[in-house]
């Protein structure tokens, strides 16, 4: 059952990512390379790629042993994708057709699938609060990347990190709030894991 779900989730993830890329290339007014760079500048895309790779590995992995915390970290990342989209970004545009389908897969369906998989299969007994600092490396590096590239390209993938619109101070404050949200969400997942204690 675990491998079947992993395969299903991997296929869903790759379908959504590849289709989103094709749609973005088709509708972009920028060059192929600039559009590609922008595509890989979205936290949503990068995190969904991490999810798709994870489930692909799980599909073909022979051993069921896995270091506790890897899936929890991924679940925190994709949960942030889903929650920020639902509460901050959903109202900013109204996609239709295939774009709407892909949008819902990337921001709603896949986060929910990962959450369910985490609940069923994560080795929660060994989750450690100290792991949160390691988990934070990815989003911190991502923030640094988009701010540095944005400073000379003028492209910021999300409105709350748009330095020209809000100024660097406001953007850093927004980033601080999101960082705090990340730590709180991580603490919640670990706490739930320790309470359920399900291997």
């Amino acid at each position: 059952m675990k491998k079947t779900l992993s395969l299903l989730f991997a296929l869903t993830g790759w379908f959504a990512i590849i289709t989103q890329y094709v749609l973005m290339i088709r509708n972009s007014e920028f060059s192929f390379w600039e559009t590609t760079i922008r595509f890989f500048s979205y936290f949503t895309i990068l995190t969904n790629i991490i999810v798709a790779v994870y489930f692909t590995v799980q599909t073909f992995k022979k051993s069921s042993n896995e270091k506790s915390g890897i899936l929890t970290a991924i679940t925190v990342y994709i949960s942030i994708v889903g929650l920020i989209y639902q509460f901050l970004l959903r109202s900013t545009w109204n996609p239709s057709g295939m774009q709407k389908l892909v949008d819902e897969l990337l921001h709603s369906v896949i986060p929910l699938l990962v959450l369910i998989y985490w609940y069923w299969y994560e080795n929660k007994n060994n989750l450690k609060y100290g792991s949160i600092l390691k988990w934070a490396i990815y989003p911190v590096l991502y923030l640094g990347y988009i701010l540095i590239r944005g400073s000379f390209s003028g492209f910021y993938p999300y409105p709350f990190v748009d330095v020209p619109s809000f100024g660097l101070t406001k953007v850093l404050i927004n980033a601080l709030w999101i960082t705090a949200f990340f730590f709180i969400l991580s603490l919640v997942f670990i706490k739930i894991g320790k309470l359920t204690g399900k291997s």
Side-chain angles (χ1 to χ4, degrees):
M1 181 64 176
K2 183 177 181 181
K3 287 191 176 295
T4 301
L5 288 177
S6 295
L7 176 60
L8 176 62
F9 294 175
L11 291 174
T12 301
W14 288 122
F15 167 78
I17 293 163
I18 293 170
T19 304
Q20 178 60 72
Y21 180 63
V22 171
L23 290 173
M24 192 167 175
I25 291 292
R26 181 184 301 169
N27 298 320
S28 178
E29 59 186 22
F30 302 100
S31 69
F32 171 81
W33 291 113
E34 176 62 22
T35 302
T36 298
I37 293 172
R38 292 189 177 203
F39 176 78
F40 288 106
S41 294
Y42 286 95
F43 189 78
T44 294
I45 296 301
L46 294 176
T47 305
N48 272 279
I49 289 174
I50 291 173
V51 169
V53 169
Y54 174 83
F55 283 123
T56 301
V57 170
Q58 293 303 307
T59 299
F60 298 102
K61 190 177 180 182
K62 293 182 179 180
S63 173
S64 60
N65 294 328
E66 179 181 304
K67 186 176 179 181
S68 181
I70 295 176
L71 178 56
T72 301
I74 293 173
T75 306
V76 171
Y77 301 148
I78 198 67
S79 295
I80 289 174
V81 167
L83 291 170
I84 288 183
Y85 180 78
Q86 306 306 329
F87 291 103
L88 296 181
L89 300 175
R90 179 177 286 279
S91 61
T92 62
W93 78 321
N94 186 30
S96 60
M98 182 59 72
Q99 182 62 73
K100 183 174 180 60
L101 172 62
V102 171
D103 194 62
E104 292 300 334
L105 286 175
L106 293 172
H107 297 101
S108 303
V109 175
I110 291 174
L112 181 59
L113 295 179
V114 175
L115 182 61
I116 293 171
Y117 191 93
W118 173 83
Y119 181 78
W120 282 346
Y121 296 115
E122 173 66 300
N123 178 11
K124 305 181 190 68
N125 293 319
N126 297 322
L127 292 176
K128 298 177 181 178
Y129 291 108
S131 299
I132 296 176
L133 289 177
K134 292 188 294 184
W135 300 351
I137 293 174
Y138 162 50
V140 169
L141 288 177
Y142 171 78
L143 175 64
Y145 162 71
I146 60 173
L147 290 181
I148 292 171
R149 184 173 192 274
S151 68
F152 61 81
S153 70
F155 172 70
Y156 296 88
Y158 298 103
F160 45 80
V161 292
D162 190 340
V163 175
S165 297
F166 295 105
L168 183 59
T169 300
K170 176 63 175 177
V171 166
L172 291 178
I173 291 174
N174 291 341
L176 185 62
W177 280 112
I178 294 174
T179 301
F181 177 58
F182 164 80
F183 276 96
I184 291 171
L185 194 62
S186 297
L187 288 170
V188 168
F189 271 101
I190 293 176
K191 183 65 175 178
I192 292 173
K194 288 181 175 296
L195 289 175
T196 56
K198 181 179 180 180
S199 299

